[in-house]
Amino acid sequence: MTMTADLSPSDLWVFGYGSLIWRPGFPFEESVVARLHGYHRSLCIFSHVHRGTPERPGLVLGLDRGGICRGLAFRVAAGEAAETVTYLRAREQATSVYLERHMPVRLDDGRNVKALVYVADRKHLQYAGRLPPDKVLELVRNGRGGSGENPDYVLQTHEHLRKMGVFDPVLADLAQKLAPGLGQPRPPL
């Protein structure tokens, strides 16, 4: 498992692109819509813990190479940083499928910060890559794990992204198939 060096005694920024958006699970001082360049949000991780099992995997989001990802950046007070990292490592690294990185993100208010980011490890056995849409739907529809049902994860993420003004065509299409009427078209510009 790749970890970062010891944290400096300053505030910590954490970039969320999936369930961290709607269930961060740690205290934070502010959250700001942000962009991470060089990666995109993708249902590219077989879930063996949170939304599936090894025998019946679900699919969860990962940051995969290429593109831009809009998400939320959370500022954590310096005094909470170490505890937050410990929490995130337990949550995000249950099977070590993500690589922990500190990467530059651009906040929508114009600030540039370095944030803690979890990116997909393409060498990990749970890396699913790009699957055909019918296989994605099958895995999501049947996935259930320690954090709940996989369709709920997709629907919650889609809904929260939509409220932020972020349109993810893959999640919108999947939401429409899982719960007709919820996969809203692209929001007006």
Side-chain angles (χ1 to χ4, degrees):
M1 181 179 340
T2 304
M3 295 295 172
T4 58
D6 290 338
L7 295 170
S8 66
S10 62
D11 290 349
L12 169 72
W13 285 91
V14 177
F15 182 75
Y17 54 89
S19 63
L20 283 177
I21 290 172
W22 47 272
R23 189 176 61 87
F26 53 85
F28 57 91
E29 301 299 313
E30 67 177 308
S31 65
V32 183
V33 175
R35 285 180 172 80
L36 172 68
H37 289 264
Y39 290 88
H40 67 281
R41 179 184 300 103
S42 176
L43 282 166
C44 65
I45 303 293
F46 290 117
S47 179
H48 291 176
V49 175
H50 293 293
R51 301 294 172 167
T53 64
E55 301 77 30
R56 201 168 167 177
L59 269 182
V60 293
L61 294 164
L63 287 172
D64 211 354
R65 288 186 289 211
I68 297 172
C69 181
R70 286 188 70 210
L72 274 184
F74 299 91
R75 183 174 60 83
V76 176
E80 303 285 341
E83 187 175 325
T84 297
V85 171
T86 298
Y87 164 78
L88 288 170
R89 286 176 178 165
R91 174 177 167 167
E92 301 298 319
Q93 295 291 61
T95 61
S96 301
V97 70
Y98 298 106
L99 301 172
E100 183 179 284
R101 301 284 189 252
H102 276 104
M103 303 177 76
V105 297
R106 178 148 178 98
L107 307 182
D108 272 8
D109 64 14
R111 289 178 287 169
N112 292 301
V113 299
K114 235 181 192 174
L116 179 63
V117 178
Y118 288 92
V119 300
D121 181 353
R122 288 180 157 215
K123 295 177 184 170
H124 198 281
L125 292 174
Q126 285 175 246
Y127 176 72
R130 189 176 186 156
L131 298 172
D134 58 327
K135 184 64 174 174
V136 170
L137 179 61
E138 174 192 339
L139 288 164
V140 169
R141 196 172 262 155
N142 297 312
R144 283 161 190 69
S147 294
E149 297 190 10
N150 207 169
D152 293 340
Y153 167 85
V154 168
L155 293 171
Q156 284 274 17
T157 303
H158 166 70
E159 181 60 19
H160 281 80
L161 287 171
R162 198 174 67 77
K163 286 178 182 174
M164 290 169 48
V166 176
F167 179 74
D168 185 306
V170 173
L171 292 181
D173 181 60
L174 200 51
Q176 179 63 36
K177 290 173 181 168
L178 293 168
L182 290 182
Q184 303 291 332
R186 178 182 291 274
L189 297 175

